Amino acid sequence: MSMPKGGNAPVEAGAVRIELSWRTGPGVPDVDASALLLAGGKVRDDGDFVFYNQPAHASGAVRHEGKRTANGTAADVLAVDLTAVEPSIERVVLAASADGGTFGQVPELSIRVLDATGTKAGGAGSPGAGVAASVGAELVRFDSQDATVETAFVLGELYRRQGGWKFRAVGQGYDRGLAGLATDYGISVDDPGQAPVQPPASAPAQPPASAPAQPPAPTSLQPPAPAPAAVPGAPADAPAHSATPGQPGASTPAPPAHTASPSAPTPVRLSKVTLTKDAPAVSLTKQGGTSGALRVNLNWQMRPAPQGSGWGRKLSRALAGPAALDLDLGALYELTDGSKGVVQALGNAFGSLHTPPYVHLDGDDRTGAVAAGENLTVNLDHQHLIKRILFFVTIYEGARSFGDLNATVTLTPQRGAPVDFSLDECTVPSNVCALALLLNTGSELVVQREARYLVPERGVSPQRTVDQAYGWGMRWAPGRK
């Protein structure tokens, strides 16, 4: 249901997907979705701001799921579990910010609220509770058509009303970007900007007392304990021997994490670097991100199945199957002493942060249901010992191709701006993708976007295919996890 600016409608779903979409093209700036959870018109603390640098609320109720692009249209997605929103939260503001331009340059900007569960919201005995609905159905839509010089927008909001939830189309613009919008609602940011053009009428004049912010980057190099579970899976390759002292995949116990002394609250960081085909590399050295932990995240979701016939439909059928899609994030590494190896879930080669290879895989998301996706961490305190690291992803089971996958890669250094990019649409029968390359040139650390889908030859594993494409020169043997 499309609605005019200022209109409202009930949201009878237990959970919703918020799709912020626009038409891409030359000169069109990138757009980012964000959400603010409000109590009394303001956030309670900086943790109530969900966006690309802070992708999940502590309650789990709101998540930023990243971008997808298809057929000239891009979308940035938020997931909201209305049943999990804390009782003190009265509104969830749904906002957008333009990166590198104004919204007057963004055609066909719209926000859609989609049913994510197929079950209407409400407790036992409430109207509509437990009534079946269509998963993915559009509940409400608002098309923004009057943007000019604005660099941030509140497009809509979810708000409580008489025990349920409603959506209101707002369409309120700001000319000071995401920083101006965020500070108006009580967020402390590292580049606060100035006041917005027109503050929303419902926002009170005085913000509540500030609370410590949640830093968006890891503050400790202590890895979480891996929890691999031996389950049957498709044959693949594991390293046949260790090229480094000890086993390359052995989880060496790490020393106790350093506890930082108390300090002032860290403002939310809004800066980021987005890599594209035209600008595929960035220097971490110039960004100030050459020490501490570098977190590499892969997050994905499935595109709706394409209609009609042809290659796209074949890829959709290839992704359909009885097993959940299990993607594995991994890394090939080469150290300055010439030693090489792999970090991956296969063979329980989870790596180590404080001993070679200084790369650690946090865990294995076998279903894609983990909100944080899969993560690798690199210890940049030992960057002088690292020559190169290639981050890659393979399909372990549940599909034969990346054809209908939307994936976002984010590299978040402990210091410096996060680096992100979206994977291109896959048009080949590929089950392995080279994501990004971290290079130590001797004078600086560089992150290079690869986003390269590879097609293994018959009888050649995905891991060996990546090795051959990038000249790693390792010996491989069949393995399982």
Side-chain angles (χ1 to χ4, degrees), residues 27 39 43 104 134 153 202 218 230 256 265 278 284 299 334 341 384 426 458 469:
V43 297
S134 175
F153 254 100
S202 57
D278 296 330
L284 293 184
N299 219 324
E334 182 178 2
H384 61 288
C426 180
R458 184 180 297 274

Side-chain angles (χ1 to χ4, degrees), residues 323-342:
L325 179 61
D326 182 5
L327 300 185
D328 283 343
L329 183 63
L332 291 176
Y333 63 83
E334 182 178 2
L335 303 183
T336 54
D337 65 2
S339 57
K340 302 174 183 179
V342 64

Side-chain angles (χ1 to χ4, degrees), residues 91-159:
R91 289 192 289 151
V92 179
V93 169
L94 307 169
S97 56
D99 185 7
T102 69
F103 277 104
Q105 301 168 280
V106 180
E108 300 180 27
L109 179 68
S110 68
I111 185 171
R112 297 198 305 155
V113 180
L114 307 177
D115 189 340
T117 61
T119 302
K120 292 186 177 181
S126 64
V131 177
S134 175
V135 176
E138 181 179 294
L139 302 176
V140 68
R141 175 191 186 105
F142 170 57
D143 298 307
S144 176
Q145 300 175 336
D146 56 356
T148 54
V149 299
E150 299 87 352
T151 51
F153 254 100
V154 173
L155 289 173
E157 63 181 14
L158 298 165
Y159 63 99

